[in-house]
Amino acid sequence: MHNAEIARKFHELADLLEIQDANPFRVRAYRNVASIIEGSSRAIEDRVGKGEDLSQIKGIGEDLAGQIESLVKNGTLSQLEEARKEVPEELIQLMRLEQLGPKRTKQLHDDLGITSLDQLRTAAEEGKISALSGFGKKSEEKILDELGKLKPEKEQRMRLGEAEQVAGPLVDYLDELDEVKKIVVAGSYRRRKETVGDLDILVACEDSAPVMKRFTTHPEVADVVSKGKTRSTVYLKSGLQVDLRVVAEKSYGAALHYFTGSKAHNVAIRQIGVDRGLKINEYGVHKGDKLIAGKTEEEVFDQVGLPWIPPELRENRGEIEAAREGRLPKLVEEKDIRGDLHMHTDATDGRNSLREMAEAAKKLGHDYIAITDHSRRLTMANGLTPKRLREQMEAIDRLNEELEGIRVLKGIEVDILEDGGLDLPDDVLKELDVTVCSIHSKLNLSRKKQTERVLRAMDNRYFNILGHPTGRLINKRDPYPIDLEAIVEGARERGCCLEINSQPKRLDLPGRYAQMVKEAGVLGVISTDSHATDHLGFMHLGVSQARRGWMEKDDLLNTRTLEHLKKALAR
Ligand code: DGT
Ligand code: CA
Ligand code: CA
Ligand code: ZN
């Protein structure tokens, strides 16, 4: 059971309790656990397996730790089973609508007897909802609008971070077979797209039968769609589709190239082959009937006169021309990252202390980090006032005197206010080493206003990094309307940087915009926006987006030494 699934169960339990009017503290405790698990970069299952004491994790008491353990060990959570009996499943779907939530769902149920999406639609169409207290014509329209956009869960693409948690253990499980010579996850997963439609696992081996058997009988498989000698497809319980292909070792490189895609890239490569009188498919490169290459990807590229192209670039967006002309970028790697410039502590909405964050970052090999807690406007997150921020600065000074091997920078994630002002006065901002400036409110301004708001904020000389620049939450919230080209140009003129936020639910900027930043000559910053020590490991996800944006080491701020970093931050 991977973390995302465990988290989903606790979320569901919180939902069910909330709709039953349970004690709000209990509801919050479950939600909190869900988000801790969701954000944890280590598999909870492993921790339980190793006998670790989960109640040592901040925010998890002994009681909850016991519940997590029994969920992992038995696959069920008795509290959840009980709650499920009490609440009809359709009601839960209703509650998940952005327009509703538990309280309003309960009201619709109690006042109009609504228990399903269909009933909700009918009631809204008949104008019955706007007649209820607390609902107006506008919310009725919004409900209809939302119902119209609703996608069945099966059609949703899975976030890359979640897909990693599924793919890793599945690959290990298959790799245990001696028959498996090579195994890799290809497709959009290998190209590191921010979401994957399905997983494409490729195995090299001579005898496919045991591999197919092991695959289709994996305990997480909910449905076997097809099972063949070279190809099988299953659905996992999480709803994710997994394709498995088995090829001989002599075809492995060709199959890897083919199934890595993208389709557009493959078509272009195949055409170059045709021009050279070659036939290229998933089995190899053929001249007439003769197989002339296919064991490795390098061999395949070599046959069309190209060097090997990193998977992240294979979107047919200029990578083939660049390869031909010897202009392929030397993409940034995780080991190039020297520090992390966006993280929170328990002074605001983080779960670990300043010292714990610094020590964990040091273990990961960072040379420096910046502590960037929230500013005062975010009251929900207990945002810092100038006074509390100054206290934190002093604490950082003291910590730096004690710590060796890592430097803690003073920072803030300061809110960009509606008028483009920053949420803290200049005289405190100027004492900081670095600022991450972010939008957390008024996401619905017009494109023009939102753009002006950010540009005005950037006029402040203490503005360093624009945090999560599009504000999107994958599968949950679209980017806010904003003219990113103007923002990037504005950042270039003023010497600001743009963040590539590595949180699995954000990946913001995504690759295509990272490329825009690079091309404008603006520096990117890959940050984890950690809210716990466990999150510091999300860095690789941000790196993958930078790579999809063709970024090299020098295109990023936090690949610099501390000395160079400080120079680059001065405006
Ligand atoms: P996804 O799953 O929607 O996130 O995206 P992909 O890229 O993983 O697409 P998928 O799973 O349909 O197929 C995996 C790869 O197989 C794809 O990237 C390229 C290759 N492929 C699939 N269908 C075709 C095709 O009709 N022609 C060619 N040339 N390649 C194909
Ligand atoms: Ca795929
Ligand atoms: Ca597929
Ligand atoms: Zn933020």
Side-chain angles (χ1 to χ4, degrees), residues 322-435:
R324 189 182 296 129
E325 293 159 18
R327 291 188 285 108
L328 278 178
K330 188 177 179 313
L331 297 181
V332 62
E333 295 176 37
E334 198 181 355
K335 67 171 169 52
D336 297 328
I337 302 294
R338 289 178 188 262
D340 191 343
L341 298 178
H342 186 168
M343 67 187 65
H344 301 263
T345 72
D346 55 11
T348 61
D349 61 348
R351 278 198 309 274
N352 291 96
S353 67
L354 182 60
R355 175 186 289 272
E356 286 166 342
M357 293 306 286
E359 279 171 354
K362 184 180 156 182
K363 263 199 203 132
L364 291 182
H366 286 321
D367 296 341
Y368 52 82
I369 55 167
I371 300 295
T372 56
D373 268 314
H374 286 293
S375 63
R376 60 189 168 188
R377 213 210 115 262
L378 271 193
T379 45
M380 259 172 44
N382 192 19
L384 299 181
T385 58
K387 179 164 175 288
R388 289 179 58 217
L389 179 54
R390 286 207 168 89
E391 283 163 15
Q392 185 178 65
M393 288 190 224
E394 282 166 22
I396 291 175
D397 282 335
R398 287 193 298 274
L399 185 62
N400 273 326
E401 272 171 31
E402 288 173 42
L403 285 181
E404 267 174 47
I406 186 160
R407 181 82 189 174
V408 182
L409 301 176
K410 299 166 191 164
I412 186 83
E413 181 181 15
V414 60
D415 263 53
I416 299 175
L417 305 176
E418 189 181 356
D419 65 0
L422 296 178
D423 185 30
L424 289 170
D426 285 358
D427 70 334
V428 50
L429 293 179
K430 81 169 185 224
E431 292 170 30
L432 297 167
D433 298 306
V434 59
T435 63

Side-chain angles (χ1 to χ4, degrees), residues 532-571:
T533 52
D534 274 350
H535 296 186
L536 292 165
F538 289 148
M539 188 65 83
H540 71 283
L541 290 169
V543 171
S544 71
Q545 295 312 298
R547 288 170 63 88
R548 283 180 62 80
W550 292 55
M551 283 186 154
E552 305 188 348
K553 186 176 171 184
D554 285 347
D555 296 318
L556 292 152
L557 177 68
N558 56 322
T559 56
R560 318 258 153 141
T561 62
L562 182 59
E563 195 188 337
H564 285 134
L565 174 90
K566 286 198 162 165
K567 278 195 198 125
L569 283 172
R571 278 180 64 183

Side-chain angles (χ1 to χ4, degrees), residues 157 186-189 191 193 195-200 243 245 257-263 266-267 270:
R157 298 172 59 86
S188 51
Y189 183 89
R191 302 199 311 281
K193 261 187 91 159
T195 61
V196 302
D198 69 0
L199 291 180
D200 305 281
D243 291 341
R245 331 253 173 161
H257 179 259
Y258 181 91
F259 291 116
T260 296
S262 67
K263 200 169 157 182
N266 288 356
V267 169
R270 203 163 43 206

Side-chain angles (χ1 to χ4, degrees), residues 504-537:
K505 65 180 176 201
R506 290 194 183 269
L507 296 185
D508 183 10
L509 298 170
R512 56 188 177 283
Y513 293 126
Q515 190 167 12
M516 208 162 94
V517 169
K518 174 198 166 99
E519 279 168 6
V522 169
L523 283 180
V525 186
I526 311 176
S527 301
T528 61
D529 192 359
S530 289
H531 286 69
T533 52
D534 274 350
H535 296 186
L536 292 165

